[in-house]
Amino acid sequence: MGTGASITRDQLLTLGREGDSVAFVNIATYALNQDPSDDEIRLMLLQHLAQWGLIARAATICEGFTPPMRDRAEIADLMNQFRSLQHAGAANWENHRATFEANMAVARSRHEWPGEVAAAWQAHGASLDLHRTRDGEWMVCEPAAGAVGSWRPVFGRLRVGATAEELRAGFSGRILAAIAFDGVGLGWPVGSYYEATRDTMLGASPMLFVVEPSLLGLAVSMHLHDWREIIADGRVVWCVGTKASDRFESELIARPHVPLPQNVVVSPSWQTCGDRNVRSIVEAVRKRVSGEHANMKDELRAARSGRDVAWWAARYREAMAAVKSSTRLGRCSAARQEGRPFRVLAMTSRFTTVLQYSTRDAMEALAGIGCETRTLIERDAQSYLAPNQTLKMIREFDPDLIFMIDHTRRSQADHLIEHVPVVTWIQDRLSWLYDEQAGRSMGPLDFCMGQGSDELVRRYGYPADRFLPCDMATHTASLVPRADRPDPDKFDCDIAYATHASETPEVFHAAVRERVESPAVRQLFDAVYEMIRARSIRGDLNGSLKCESLVQRASDAMGGTASPEMIDRIASEFARPLCDRFLRHETIGWAADWAERTGGRLHLYGNGWDRHPRFARFARGALSHGWELGAAFRRARVNLHAGNNCALHQRVLDGLAAGGFFLIRKHGADVSHRVARAIYEHLKVTGATLPAEVRDENLPESLRAEYIELRRYNGFDKNEPFVQTHQHWEQYERIFVTGAVQLAGQVWPDLDRVVFATAEEFEERVNYFMTQIEEREAIASAMRCRAVEKFGYESLMRRMLSWMTDRLSEASRSGISRDVGEAPVRKCEVARRGEAGVGAAIVSGV
């Protein structure tokens, strides 16, 4: 006997005795519809339905036995038992009418399909029987006269394979592309994915496309689930009815800012025929978008093919005249008198914290000095910055400069063409930036600014002549008090810490190792985790530790099998962020201990703290950047800064500009300026040939103890000589001669009074400054003045444009005007392992 599942009768009976009960019920139901006289299969089906607790359905199927089978005593007894329990497992649609009507009421106010759904239910709903299994699963059956009928859309558990909580664990911390539902089944996947994808990272919540041709199937799900919130949510797009596939395709095309679905959740179909082609529709639209992208790139390249280095040098000199004169004549008159001003196009993301606001502040500063600016950012929590959207803006705005933070032309290649200058402001140590391919990809119109220039140039091949070393910046105007809006009392507290880094070190470690298949690499992750945890317990963990050396030691202890590339990657993507989490959470733990012991008020601002196992009671939600963030800084007696980042960090600069007071977790680089200068002077006076060894006895006696403590604090043996290289020397000159790089201790003479390294030092500082109000305000005022003076956005942006103009002019005079599509081939000098990393000797050595 053949069935719809291409299985023989004997195979079906074997499946019923030994196999999957769900598969058997489905296939047996089909088989009995084809051959109602097969009493053996019918009896076995009854047994399985009884196991599921679907007695009412079994009682109905009993009536189909052939007369000889019905005459058997055991079968007659079985039929009588089922009849006596004929309501077991049966459910009443009337009990779900209120849910259906509530869903429909919301749908009628927002969508055009509720009338069709109501009509489908009115016409066919009565033909469906609702059942519930012993373990609580809903099942829908459509009886048929003279036959067994059918399960709609299919028999079996129709929930997703994982719970909403399990799905969320996999989605958390990720920005997801849209998700498409190829059918709703009995509604379970829609609700589970909706809950699991809400705010997966910094507000990001993917668009959900529900594609269901069956109006009756949708009506059933709306009886079984309270979908009022889902129906009302604009991130859920409903494509239903006979034209569901066409509607889905139209919705994808009409939403170019929404990333095409990469995940299609398929449920059993309510349709008995028809082409269910959600995946093919996605691929067809993807090909269409790709074709448009290729055509647009070709068009832009052809239109701008003559814009070589010499062309841009002339253009920058012309535009720079408007920037320079804007301070004398005012922005509008400068644009009229000096020609078209600089046009700057920024690309950023709403799914960041500091970076989007740093971009915003930079664009405001550029506008303030006479530039025309545009900023590309996702329009909402479901969107992404589509490459075609960027290319259209380039075509329409015709920018002179593309401005990005922590991204290069290489990392955004789909968005850009070669014939427009790009500047990358490097603010964070990220794997796609600290990479040889990133450095080698730099063409003649690629520029960089920011921190880490020594390592990026020497080790990763970034062009030294097009790298502007600079610190962070602050935008005072957006943070200061407003006369029309007093700072609210809700921000009043003793200690405040604003950070989104709520994920614990343990959870981060587990999540990273789970994504790795190699047992050896997992073992290395575990070893690094234990090393960092041990440092945290001992109290000598700090942000200036050289993580590459730490990973190397862990690898050596395991036999030294990790390659240099793997060492760097593990340090960048695991050890450094793990160290940062330990530092932040450990510091918050000290603050929480203090608050619990003294009754003080601790406020934690940021996402996810309300779910933290220990610190949830201190959570106060996220802050919007600008006035609200500034108000929180001001109303706290003490703000905290801790982690891998130095004190010259955006949060500290912004907090000081807003009028806040900070206590800062000690970072080796922040307090190394005195020792660093002494080493520099020693090398100058002695005329040392590099590389040269330096020991504590080579320094003034007043600094020897500080030198030894810094070496210990940064993870080095105090008896081990500190080898100075040309890289160290160049870094010293950047700090002490040109001032291109600055250390927090140089900028703020009061820094030593507000740093802490241990729980005891933290408590001493907190208790002291809680009572010394005048001194606290004096220190905050002095640090604020220096921050505003040295780190304003407007001066930095003016410096950036002037520097780029000079570099382009020099390149033009040197004859570097080849096709800007060619990235120069440069030798990437890789520093010897063991030499200093970011910030050279200052950050990782002393």
Side-chain angles (χ1 to χ4, degrees):
M1 176 194 72
T3 73
S6 299
I7 185 174
T8 67
R9 183 177 183 278
D10 288 342
Q11 290 172 332
L12 178 58
L13 291 171
T14 300
L15 180 67
R17 287 189 294 268
E18 306 172 2
D20 183 348
S21 179
V22 170
F24 173 78
V25 170
N26 274 304
I27 300 172
T29 300
Y30 175 86
L32 284 178
N33 281 322
Q34 303 301 307
D35 183 7
S37 64
D38 195 324
D39 289 333
E40 187 176 6
I41 290 179
R42 186 180 295 271
L43 179 60
M44 190 173 289
L45 176 59
L46 295 179
Q47 293 168 344
H48 278 270
L49 292 177
Q51 291 172 7
W52 285 93
L54 299 175
I55 306 301
R57 186 70 193 131
T60 300
I61 294 177
C62 273
E63 305 301 327
F65 279 121
T66 61
M69 192 71 165
R70 294 165 66 93
D71 292 341
R72 294 171 54 178
E74 66 271 22
I75 298 300
D77 289 342
L78 178 65
M79 294 176 65
N80 288 332
Q81 291 176 25
F82 283 163
R83 288 176 184 138
S84 66
L85 299 171
Q86 61 181 342
H87 297 297
N92 193 330
W93 288 112
E94 283 300 314
N95 295 332
H96 301 270
R97 178 181 292 277
T99 300
F100 178 68
E101 293 298 341
N103 285 329
M104 291 293 287
V106 176
R108 288 188 186 96
S109 65
R110 290 167 173 80
H111 304 287
E112 75 284 356
W113 43 261
E116 296 177 274
V117 172
W121 180 253
Q122 185 174 5
H124 303 288
S127 66
L128 302 178
D129 292 339
L130 182 63
H131 300 269
R132 198 168 196 180
T133 65
R134 184 174 284 114
D135 55 0
E137 294 289 329
W138 295 113
M139 300 289 173
V140 177
C141 180
E142 185 173 19
V148 174
S150 59
W151 297 99
R152 304 295 309 273
V154 72
F155 181 84
R157 293 183 175 90
L158 299 185
R159 298 176 186 266
V160 294
T163 65
E165 291 74 19
E166 291 169 333
L167 287 172
R168 184 169 186 83
F171 295 152
S172 181
R174 298 167 54 193
I175 299 175
L176 304 175
I179 296 173
F181 296 89
D182 193 347
V184 299
L186 290 182
W188 297 109
V190 174
S192 296
Y193 275 83
Y194 179 80
E195 290 298 328
T197 58
R198 191 202 306 266
D199 188 11
T200 58
M201 178 179 167
L202 298 177
S205 305
M207 188 75 77
L208 306 180
F209 292 92
V210 180
V211 186
E212 178 52 80
S214 173
L215 297 167
L216 180 60
L218 182 58
V220 168
S221 291
M222 291 177 67
H223 275 81
L224 300 179
H225 306 279
D226 183 353
W227 276 356
R228 287 174 293 178
E229 182 182 2
I230 300 176
I231 294 169
D233 195 333
R235 78 178 177 105
V236 183
V237 180
W238 299 85
C239 307
V240 302
T242 56
K243 300 293 185 181
S245 296
D246 294 341
R247 171 70 183 274
F248 176 53
E249 183 176 19
S250 298
E251 290 287 355
L252 293 182
I253 294 171
R255 301 171 187 268
H257 55 282
V258 174
L260 291 173
Q262 296 180 2
N263 186 0
V264 177
V265 181
V266 180
S267 294
S269 177
W270 280 81
Q271 303 287 87
T272 56
C273 61
D275 181 18
R276 303 178 71 242
N277 54 358
V278 167
R279 283 196 175 93
S280 63
I281 291 171
V282 172
E283 290 309 309
V285 175
R286 196 184 309 279
K287 289 181 180 178
R288 170 176 172 163
V289 172
S290 296
E292 293 174 350
H293 178 264
N295 292 337
M296 203 178 314
K297 270 209 164 187
D298 290 343
E299 173 195 330
L300 288 171
R301 284 168 173 156
R304 290 157 176 76
S305 60
R307 298 185 180 184
D308 59 8
V309 171
W311 189 95
W312 281 110
R315 168 67 193 131
Y316 268 55
R317 287 192 296 270
E318 171 198 13
M320 197 63 192
V323 170
K324 289 179 177 178
S325 63
S326 65
T327 57
R328 301 190 305 270
L329 304 175
R331 192 185 321 158
C332 296
S333 58
R336 289 196 301 269
Q337 295 186 27
E338 303 290 349
R340 196 187 83 174
F342 264 117
R343 290 182 177 176
V344 184
L345 175 62
M347 296 170 57
T348 189
S349 175
R350 70 187 295 127
F351 308 122
T352 64
T353 51
V354 173
L355 300 191
Q356 66 166 303
Y357 303 120
S358 185
T359 300
R360 181 200 66 185
D361 295 343
M363 292 303 102
E364 287 187 11
L366 285 166
I369 62 175
C371 298
E372 291 184 13
T373 65
R374 299 285 189 278
T375 299
L376 285 170
I377 188 170
E378 301 90 348
R379 65 169 66 180
D380 54 40
Q382 289 75 54
S383 299
Y384 81 135
L385 193 55
N388 288 2
Q389 182 182 358
T390 309
L391 294 176
K392 288 178 182 178
M393 179 61 75
I394 292 174
R395 181 177 62 192
E396 296 165 5
F397 184 52
D398 193 16
D400 301 309
L401 176 63
I402 306 292
F403 177 95
M404 296 185 290
I405 298 178
D406 283 348
H407 282 283
T408 64
R409 189 193 304 271
R410 176 175 178 265
S411 66
Q412 300 296 313
D414 287 344
H415 293 260
L416 305 173
I417 59 170
E418 299 82 0
H419 306 85
V420 58
V422 170
V423 65
T424 298
W425 188 356
I426 296 178
Q427 295 189 3
D428 299 283
R429 188 184 178 101
L430 300 167
S431 59
W432 59 85
L433 295 173
Y434 283 73
D435 180 88
E436 283 190 33
Q437 292 185 4
R440 292 178 182 275
S441 71
M442 292 284 166
L445 296 180
D446 291 308
F447 299 81
C448 289
M449 58 188 288
Q451 301 173 339
S453 59
D454 283 353
E455 184 180 10
L456 289 165
V457 169
R458 288 179 177 274
R459 189 166 189 175
Y460 298 106
Y462 282 72
D465 60 327
R466 280 175 277 122
F467 202 119
L468 174 66
C470 68
D471 295 298
M472 300 297 293
T474 184
H475 190 259
T476 310
S478 65
L479 298 159
V480 296
R482 289 169 44 176
D484 64 329
R485 194 174 182 185
D487 294 346
D489 295 343
K490 68 177 182 178
F491 293 133
D492 286 349
C493 64
D494 296 305
I495 302 176
Y497 192 8
T499 174
H500 291 301
S502 58
E503 182 183 47
T504 66
E506 296 78 13
V507 170
F508 173 77
H509 169 225
V512 173
R513 78 184 305 277
E514 183 66 25
R515 296 195 291 267
V516 176
E517 295 182 2
S518 167
V521 176
R522 284 189 173 189
Q523 186 179 357
L524 184 54
F525 281 166
D526 294 342
V528 171
Y529 173 82
E530 290 302 330
M531 291 174 70
I532 294 177
R533 189 173 75 91
R535 280 188 173 275
S536 176
I537 294 172
R538 291 198 306 268
D540 61 358
L541 184 65
N542 83 96
S544 62
L545 287 172
K546 185 169 175 56
C547 289
E548 289 82 359
S549 297
L550 187 148
V551 177
Q552 183 68 61
R553 289 198 295 273
S555 175
D556 291 345
M558 295 171 55
T561 58
S563 66
E565 293 75 19
M566 180 179 289
I567 296 292
D568 287 345
R569 184 167 183 180
I570 292 175
S572 176
E573 299 181 10
F574 177 70
R576 193 166 288 107
L578 177 64
C579 179
D580 185 77
R581 282 163 173 78
F582 266 109
L583 288 166
R584 291 174 187 259
H585 286 246
E586 183 180 72
T587 304
I588 294 170
W590 298 344
D593 289 344
W594 178 87
E596 290 167 349
R597 186 170 55 255
T598 65
R601 292 171 297 172
L602 168 63
H603 285 187
L604 290 180
Y605 299 110
N607 294 319
W609 291 111
D610 57 331
R611 298 188 295 273
H612 191 279
R614 182 189 171 192
F615 304 140
R617 62 181 291 240
F618 304 111
R620 295 297 183 273
L623 296 168
S624 60
H625 192 273
W627 170 82
E628 186 178 53
L629 179 62
F633 283 135
R634 284 187 293 277
R635 301 294 286 200
R637 292 184 178 183
V638 170
N639 293 281
L640 295 181
H641 176 71
N644 281 354
N645 295 308
C646 300
L648 291 177
H649 181 264
Q650 188 77 54
R651 276 280 188 250
V652 177
L653 295 174
D654 285 349
L656 292 171
F661 171 81
F662 276 82
L663 290 181
I664 297 168
R665 180 78 180 254
K666 184 178 178 181
H667 190 294
D670 290 335
V671 297
S672 64
H673 56 289
R674 290 181 293 269
V675 171
R677 180 177 283 281
I679 294 174
Y680 177 54
E681 294 298 335
H682 166 73
L683 295 176
K684 283 200 305 181
V685 170
T686 61
T689 300
L690 300 177
E693 293 184 354
V694 171
R695 299 179 183 273
D696 61 306
E697 60 261 29
N698 300 129
L699 305 182
E701 187 173 354
S702 61
L703 290 175
R704 290 174 188 174
E706 185 174 345
Y707 167 84
I708 292 172
E709 171 59 18
L710 278 171
R711 290 289 283 171
R712 182 202 67 79
Y713 191 66
N714 290 340
F716 296 93
D717 187 334
K718 67 177 183 178
N719 297 315
E720 177 185 341
F722 187 8
V723 179
Q724 302 294 296
T725 67
H726 289 283
Q727 183 182 357
H728 295 93
W729 177 263
E730 292 173 5
Q731 182 74 348
Y732 294 144
E733 292 203 316
R734 287 179 183 272
I735 296 168
F736 302 118
V737 179
T738 68
V741 175
Q742 301 179 84
L743 303 179
Q746 291 175 289
V747 176
W748 295 309
D750 290 323
L751 186 66
D752 288 335
R753 299 167 65 187
V754 297
V755 296
F756 59 91
T758 65
E760 293 74 21
E761 289 181 358
F762 169 79
E763 183 151 345
E764 177 187 340
R765 296 283 195 273
V766 169
N767 288 336
Y768 178 79
F769 284 110
M770 285 295 161
T771 60
Q772 301 302 313
I773 300 174
E774 291 185 3
E775 185 175 352
R776 187 177 74 217
E777 291 177 349
I779 292 175
S781 177
M783 292 181 72
R784 180 183 188 277
C785 289
R786 297 283 285 178
V788 172
E789 172 191 351
K790 288 183 168 292
F791 303 105
Y793 267 97
E794 186 168 309
S795 61
L796 177 58
M797 293 298 103
R798 191 184 297 277
R799 177 186 169 200
M800 175 194 75
L801 292 180
S802 180
W803 168 77
M804 289 184 66
T805 302
D806 291 344
R807 297 289 79 76
L808 286 168
S809 294
E810 289 176 7
S812 178
R813 287 193 296 270
S814 302
I816 304 177
S817 57
R818 62 178 173 271
D819 181 359
V820 296
E822 297 179 24
V825 177
R826 293 184 299 276
K827 182 179 179 181
C828 179
E829 180 182 349
V830 180
R832 290 185 293 116
R833 187 165 300 283
E835 288 188 359
V838 179
I842 307 307
V843 171
S844 300
V846 174

